Every structure is written in C-alpha cells, then in structure tokens.
Amino acid sequence: QQPVQSPQAVILREGEDAVINCSSSKALYSVHWYRQKHGEAPVFLMILLKGGEQKGHEKISASFNEKKQQSSLYLTASQLSYSGTYFCGTVPSGSARQLTFGSGTQLTVLP
Amino acid sequence: EAQVTQNPRYLITVTGKKLTVTCSQNMNHEYMSWYRQDPGLGLRQIYYSMNVEVTDKGDVPEGYKVSRKEKRNFPLILESPSPNQTSLYFCASSNRQGRTDTQYFGPGTRLTVL
C-alpha cells in the first residue's frame, strides 16, 4: 500500500521554506526520500530509520515519527535547484516487503 | 564510473510483440528492482531481486517477467505487451536488501505500446 504524500504540489519563491509530509497506515522500519528532476532518474536524498531521528542534507532535513508512522521533509531557504518531484518511500516493519513509493510532491521554486 | 544502465532508452512497439529491457549495474550490488512510473501514481515496484536466482513480485507484477542469472544484470521481459504497459520504466540497484540502503536508479526507458 502506497504511503500518502501531501501536498501534491507546492509553488514557492526562492528563499521560502516548504514542508512535505508522508504518512503510512503501517508501522514503518524506514523512510526514504528521493528527488526527481524533469526527464531524469530519481536521486537519493536521505534515509531515516525507526528511532525518530532527524537527518539533514544541505538545507534539506527530515524527521521520522515512528509512532505516527509519518515523516516530513523540510526544505529551508529554498533554491531554484530544489525544483522537482519529491518522493517518499516506506518499508514496513516486520515484513520482507520492499520499498513502496508515494505518488510524489511536485515542488516549483520561482525566482 | 558507478552506474546503472538501461537499454533501450526509448521503445515504440506493437501489442503482443515480445520485448526485453536490459538493466546492468557495475557496483556489485546484490539488490536490484524494476519500477514503472505513471503520472499521478509515482513509482510502483514491478519485481525485485535480492541476489542471483532470487526474485520476487512487487506491487504490479502482472504482465512482466524477470530473471537474475548474473549479479550485474536484471532484464525485464514483456512477453505480450499491451497498451496499458505504456510507461516510463526505471531499474534500480542497492548494496543490500534495499530496506536501508541508497537505491541507484538507471536513466529510464520510455516504452510506448501501440
């Protein structure tokens, strides 16, 4: 079952902040975040394992609340290069099931 | 250079004509998988392989076959393609099971079935 991402799309100006949410109906072992630019392959951003840790990647960070089965991706002081589609992927706990991606959030950063 | 390659990058075919999309990685990764990407649906896993001769179904396996005879290669086979298999396909690999490791994606194969 696919995780649910919100919002589906967001438009912001350079320098503004954005939050993308990812939620699952299942208990999670890990949450993965990827970014895909138009016409390109998805590129890894970060992985969060259960334990509620927060990780960072330049001005992009993420949190994982395993009790709520939710993860959020934070983009701070967004740059034009942040534009693209962001996907979260989830791996359920206690299962051999593999990574399942959400439907994506399209982020557009305007000058 | 570490990479995942796919061939062909673009393919237009007709219903029922068997085709194979090749995927190869040069990172000695154990785990490989195939995804299809459709507008509004994100990336959906077709099949995955945890090692040579070990494959399993993903979320949308119907109409596809795979094989893993060598560690580096993981071809996707459509024995009788249909128009609903028109999509963008990505192959990916990672070092271990994929549950905790970075997945490296190939450049994608855009398939059109007429």
Side-chain angles (χ1 to χ4, degrees):
Chain A
Q1 190 171 5
Q2 282 186 297
V4 177
Q5 285 187 237
S6 63
Q8 289 187 321
V10 58
I11 299 174
L12 53 154
R13 296 279 180 189
E14 210 172 356
E16 293 181 338
D17 301 340
V19 180
I20 300 172
N21 300 303
C22 174
S23 65
S24 173
S25 59
K26 301 180 180 181
L28 298 176
Y29 177 80
S30 63
V31 179
H32 305 223
W33 286 96
Y34 286 77
R35 177 171 63 202
Q36 183 181 31
K37 293 187 178 288
H38 183 69
E40 299 181 7
V43 174
F44 169 77
L45 290 176
M46 64 189 74
I47 293 174
L48 301 104
L49 304 181
K50 67 177 182 179
E53 61 180 302
Q54 189 159 345
K55 289 210 166 190
H57 175 79
E58 298 177 342
K59 292 183 180 177
I60 301 175
S61 61
S63 63
F64 177 25
N65 186 328
E66 63 183 276
K67 289 184 180 179
K68 292 186 177 181
Q69 294 135 219
Q70 293 176 347
S71 178
S72 294
L73 186 72
Y74 306 95
L75 298 100
T76 306
S78 58
Q79 306 168 11
L80 296 176
S81 62
Y82 287 2
S83 291
T85 301
Y86 290 77
F87 292 98
C88 74
T90 56
V91 178
S93 295
S95 167
R97 290 293 297 144
Q98 303 298 309
L99 190 60
T100 302
F101 285 97
S103 58
T105 296
Q106 188 169 350
L107 180 78
T108 303
V109 181
L110 301 175
Chain B
E1 179 190 354
Q3 61 182 352
V4 178
T5 57
Q6 293 179 227
N7 282 293
R9 295 288 313 279
Y10 302 91
L11 179 61
I12 301 174
T13 188
V14 295
T15 299
K17 186 176 181 182
K18 181 179 179 179
L19 66 91
T20 299
V21 183
T22 64
C23 173
S24 183
Q25 50 92 5
N26 62 1
M27 296 169 278
N28 201 36
H29 284 169
E30 293 180 358
Y31 178 87
M32 298 184 74
S33 61
W34 277 101
Y35 296 89
R36 62 177 289 173
Q37 185 173 26
D38 303 290
L41 297 177
L43 294 153
R44 294 181 293 167
Q45 192 177 56
I46 303 170
Y47 270 95
Y48 64 93
S49 169
M50 294 174 68
N51 215 324
V52 175
E53 303 291 0
V54 181
T55 63
D56 205 352
K57 297 177 181 179
D59 295 313
V60 288
E62 293 78 20
Y64 304 94
K65 284 178 60 177
V66 293
S67 68
R68 188 92 179 273
K69 292 182 169 45
E70 303 170 282
K71 198 172 187 179
R72 64 182 293 128
N73 296 323
F74 190 43
L76 180 70
I77 303 157
L78 286 73
E79 299 235 332
S80 183
S82 61
N84 64 12
Q85 293 178 298
T86 292
S87 186
L88 178 59
Y89 291 87
F90 287 102
C91 178
S93 74
S94 66
N95 195 27
R96 286 176 290 189
Q97 292 183 10
R99 304 179 78 211
T100 59
D101 288 327
T102 303
Q103 294 215 38
Y104 296 87
F105 284 83
T109 295
R110 187 165 292 279
L111 172 66
T112 302
V113 183
L114 302 174

